[in-house]
Amino acid sequence: MSSDLIKSVDESSFDTEVLKAQVPVLVAFGAIWCGPCKQMEPILEDIAATYEGKAAVVRVDIDESPNTTRKYGIKSVPTHLVFRQGQKAGAQQGVTSKDTLVNLLDPLS
């Protein structure tokens, strides 16, 4: 389930890895016990590989990062947020398609 291209981020690294990133970041909020989150893994890995160097894909475990989860209003998992230049630029809840996430990440695609 773990890809070298998808970094796990927690509350201590969220600012550096997401908010201060030089590229757009797709953040996958999920949990180890979440079946739909596991279902999204191949899509996230594909996006991470396709956008390597142009965007980042990271995951946040809601159980390990409750403050970050609360701060961004995550009510269910999986939830995917896109950040550009430190600002939330898009959101998608639930299992979704690669195209939907790519459109959030790269609106010009």
Side-chain angles (χ1 to χ4, degrees), residues 19 30 32 44 53 59 97:
L19 301 181
I32 196 148
L44 296 172
R59 69 173 64 85
S97 68

Side-chain angles (χ1 to χ4, degrees), residues 12-93:
S12 67
S13 59
F14 191 88
D15 281 0
T16 302
E17 298 295 333
V18 176
L19 301 181
K20 294 178 182 173
Q22 299 299 308
V23 296
V25 182
L26 173 61
V27 182
F29 284 86
I32 196 148
W33 46 262
C34 171
C37 300
K38 291 176 184 156
Q39 187 179 344
M40 290 300 301
E41 276 299 306
I43 293 171
L44 296 172
E45 289 173 6
D46 190 14
I47 293 171
T50 301
Y51 283 84
E52 187 175 11
K54 298 179 277 183
V57 178
V58 302
R59 69 173 64 85
V60 174
D61 186 305
I62 63 166
D63 294 325
E64 294 177 6
S65 298
N67 294 328
T68 301
T69 300
R70 202 170 16 263
K71 179 178 180 178
Y72 291 101
I74 306 304
K75 303 281 187 220
S76 64
V77 289
T79 293
H80 302 91
L81 302 182
V82 171
F83 288 83
R84 281 189 194 81
Q85 299 172 337
Q87 299 296 313
K88 186 172 102 172
Q92 177 67 43
Q93 287 186 336

